[in-house]
Amino acid sequence: MSRKKLSFRNKICYGIGGICDNTLYTLSGTYLLLFLTTVAGVSPAVAGTISAVGSLWEAFAGPYIGYRSDNTKSRFGKRRPFMMAASVPIAVMTSLLFMTINAGPAVKTVYYLAVIVLFWTFFSMDFVPYVSLGADLTDDYHERTVLRSYAYVFNQVGMLMGMVLPTLIVSRVMKTGADAQKGWLAVGIFCGLIAGASALISALTVRTGDGAKNMPEEAPGPKGRAAGEILKEYASLLKLKPMRYIVVASVLYLVANTFFSSDRVFFMTYNAGMGQDKVSLVMLVITLSGIAFVPVIERMAGMTDKTLAFRYGIGISGALMMVLRLFDVTSLAGIILVSLLYSLANTCYWQLMPSMIYDITEVVEAETGESRTGAVISFQALSESLSIAVGLQGLGLILGLAGFDESIAFSLQPVSALNWISNCFTLIPGLFMALVFIVMLKYPINKRTMDDIRKS
């Protein structure tokens, strides 16, 4: 694999694909639980279960798709056929997921369960090959961080689409005389089209290896392995110390991320009494600050090491979020402060984690003599899916047990519900981020160790 720097054009074409996954990820993570409970009329506990089932399904779909992409040969390479095939279904399923149906509780539950399973299936069909494609483009230690920096900037565009615009779209639709149900359907259609288009554009325009011949992405995967080998393959990956640490750190961070992302609209609406305009303003601050943090973190990673930047960026953010639980942060300034801390941690994770995973694929290849990029990426995606499921189910149960009632106004919610919404906004995410810091203290891969691996 060539270690030369990738062209600006190729970085842009690859980065465009990041719009897809983050539009869908932030839309579902921020608004799905809120939509199901306050618009579709599903109870918090059931809504949490529906969301969790979707993430658990992704945990099964991701490994299979990763395996298939490793073993695919076509004129478009290993990864891009999956991205192209997912583009249209992604648009359709996102629209259906945010459509309200007039039916009884049982029918609603079955409908949203079926749609969310399909939604996450096609999400995985794009996401796992897309992230794997980044490892196929370059094996340079720092160039991988640069490539993911481009992807993260486009991730922030996706965040704008999936996190900032939805409340504005709903507000705009309702001003025409339509109800919230039509507003959220418009959100689903808009975000689905944006996500599908970005996946397709990236798949059709990115060049593997900047046109270099015989790149691994074009080569066929290993032959003769049954799908049942996936579990055995994962067991062998877990024997590697770096893989164990990165999986644990990823799980811990994404539990934190899920609690914060799914709870923040509840906090702004019910604890702070904010309207949709202020909610959108906070979401815009998160998006813009994420873009602003990208060059800072890239520079920190280049001057020191991506592992150090990852560890301290998330650890410091988590510690300060826990401290802020001791104060009243229901003002706009307080919410923005907490959101900036979250944005710093989130940028560290999504900008640096994929680059660190790419390094692990090289460790695996050095240990086994075989390229298993799709397997490593899909295993990471599996751990992410499980942690998101835990976070969503946990938040749904907490809201239910705390007495949250979706049918009453914010000023009438019980104190116990408001207290736990506040805990899920600051204390719980901060605690899990602090645990990430502790785990990463013993993570063994850095620039020096990667240089040693390449020389051996």
Side-chain angles (χ1 to χ4, degrees):
M1 190 184 300
S2 173
R3 287 189 180 137
K4 69 177 182 178
K5 288 189 176 182
L6 299 172
S7 69
F8 174 75
R9 176 199 178 278
N10 222 28
K11 291 172 184 175
I12 292 293
C13 292
Y14 177 78
I16 287 172
I19 296 175
C20 177
D21 68 79
N22 219 32
T23 296
L24 302 179
Y25 186 86
T26 54
L27 176 67
S28 59
T30 303
Y31 295 111
L32 183 58
L33 203 59
L34 182 77
F35 166 77
L36 290 175
T37 55
T38 64
V39 179
V42 180
S43 70
V46 174
T49 300
I50 291 171
S51 301
V53 166
S55 293
L56 287 172
W57 176 256
E58 187 197 3
F60 290 99
Y64 178 74
I65 291 167
Y67 173 82
R68 293 300 303 171
S69 73
D70 272 348
N71 291 273
T72 293
K73 182 181 180 181
S74 77
R75 66 190 183 93
F76 294 106
K78 292 183 179 184
R79 319 297 179 188
R80 290 178 290 175
F82 292 88
M83 297 166 63
M84 290 185 283
S87 59
V88 173
I90 277 174
V92 174
M93 289 305 128
T94 307
S95 303
L96 294 179
L97 186 59
F98 284 86
M99 183 175 73
T100 304
I101 63 168
N102 295 318
V107 175
K108 283 184 179 180
T109 300
V110 171
Y111 171 81
Y112 288 114
L113 279 172
V115 174
I116 203 168
V117 163
L118 292 171
F119 172 84
W120 285 115
T121 298
F122 293 113
F123 176 90
S124 298
M125 190 180 292
D126 171 73
F127 178 71
V128 173
Y130 171 70
V131 178
S132 300
L133 181 60
D136 295 336
L137 293 176
T138 179
D139 66 353
D140 183 80
Y141 185 79
H142 185 61
E143 188 70 358
R144 285 173 167 173
T145 301
V146 174
L147 179 64
R148 288 308 308 179
S149 297
Y150 276 79
Y152 189 75
V153 170
F154 282 98
N155 279 163
Q156 296 307 100
V157 176
M159 185 177 287
L160 177 70
M161 302 298 174
M163 191 175 73
V164 179
L165 295 185
T167 53
L168 296 177
I169 292 172
V170 172
S171 177
R172 179 87 177 201
V173 170
M174 292 180 69
K175 285 180 180 178
T176 66
D179 57 16
Q181 295 179 358
K182 288 185 175 62
W184 282 103
L185 177 59
V187 167
I189 294 171
F190 173 78
C191 291
L193 289 173
I194 292 295
S198 64
L200 185 61
I201 290 170
S202 182
L204 292 175
T205 59
V206 72
R207 292 179 180 176
T208 54
D210 281 352
K213 296 180 179 180
N214 301 319
M215 292 299 295
E217 204 258 338
E218 305 298 335
K223 301 280 187 180
R225 285 164 42 187
E229 292 288 308
I230 294 175
L231 292 178
K232 185 184 296 184
E233 189 167 48
Y234 285 175
S236 68
L237 290 176
L238 280 175
K239 293 179 182 178
L240 298 174
K241 184 178 179 181
M243 193 72 193
R244 292 197 300 271
Y245 277 101
I246 210 73
V247 165
V248 172
S250 180
V251 167
L252 290 171
Y253 176 77
L254 286 170
V255 170
N257 180 68
T258 302
F259 267 94
F260 181 86
S261 296
S262 297
D263 180 76
R264 57 191 165 195
V265 179
F266 285 95
F267 183 84
M268 287 186 277
T269 302
Y270 293 95
N271 290 55
M274 286 184 173
Q276 290 181 337
D277 290 344
K278 285 189 176 180
V279 170
S280 295
L281 174 62
V282 173
M283 299 302 193
L284 182 60
V285 168
I286 294 174
T287 303
L288 295 178
S289 63
I291 295 174
F293 284 136
V294 167
V296 176
I297 292 171
E298 181 185 324
R299 185 169 179 80
M300 288 175 58
M303 292 176 61
T304 56
D305 191 272
K306 69 178 93 172
T307 300
L308 290 176
F310 180 89
R311 178 197 305 162
Y312 286 100
I314 293 178
I316 291 171
S317 297
L320 292 175
M321 286 179 71
M322 286 190 289
V323 170
L324 287 176
R325 179 62 182 94
L326 301 174
F327 301 90
D328 179 10
V329 292
T330 55
S331 66
L332 178 60
I335 291 172
I336 287 177
L337 177 59
V338 175
S339 297
L340 288 174
L341 292 172
Y342 159 78
S343 182
L344 173 61
N346 201 47
T347 306
C348 286
Y349 181 86
W350 292 110
Q351 185 177 352
L352 299 177
M353 174 60 78
S355 178
M356 295 160 71
I357 290 293
Y358 295 162
D359 295 335
I360 289 180
T361 66
E362 200 165 337
V363 173
V364 171
E365 187 169 358
E367 291 277 343
T368 65
E370 183 180 353
S371 177
R372 296 155 74 184
T373 302
V376 175
I377 299 296
S378 66
F379 188 45
Q380 169 66 10
L382 182 150
S383 67
E384 291 179 354
S385 301
L386 293 176
S387 58
I388 292 168
V390 169
L392 289 169
Q393 185 70 81
L395 180 58
L397 289 174
I398 285 173
L399 291 176
L401 292 173
F404 175 79
D405 187 343
E406 70 279 5
S407 65
I408 62 178
F410 70 90
S411 59
L412 301 176
Q413 291 290 338
V415 174
S416 58
L418 297 178
N419 282 336
W420 277 102
I421 289 174
S422 186
N423 287 336
C424 294
F425 184 65
T426 51
L427 181 63
I428 294 176
L431 175 61
F432 277 94
M433 289 179 190
L435 292 174
V436 172
F437 174 83
I438 294 171
V439 169
M440 291 301 292
L441 285 173
K442 294 190 176 181
Y443 181 66
I445 292 182
N446 52 40
K447 189 177 188 305
R448 179 182 57 78
T449 57
M450 286 302 299
D451 288 342
D452 290 342
I453 289 171
R454 286 167 179 154
K455 290 175 183 177
S456 61

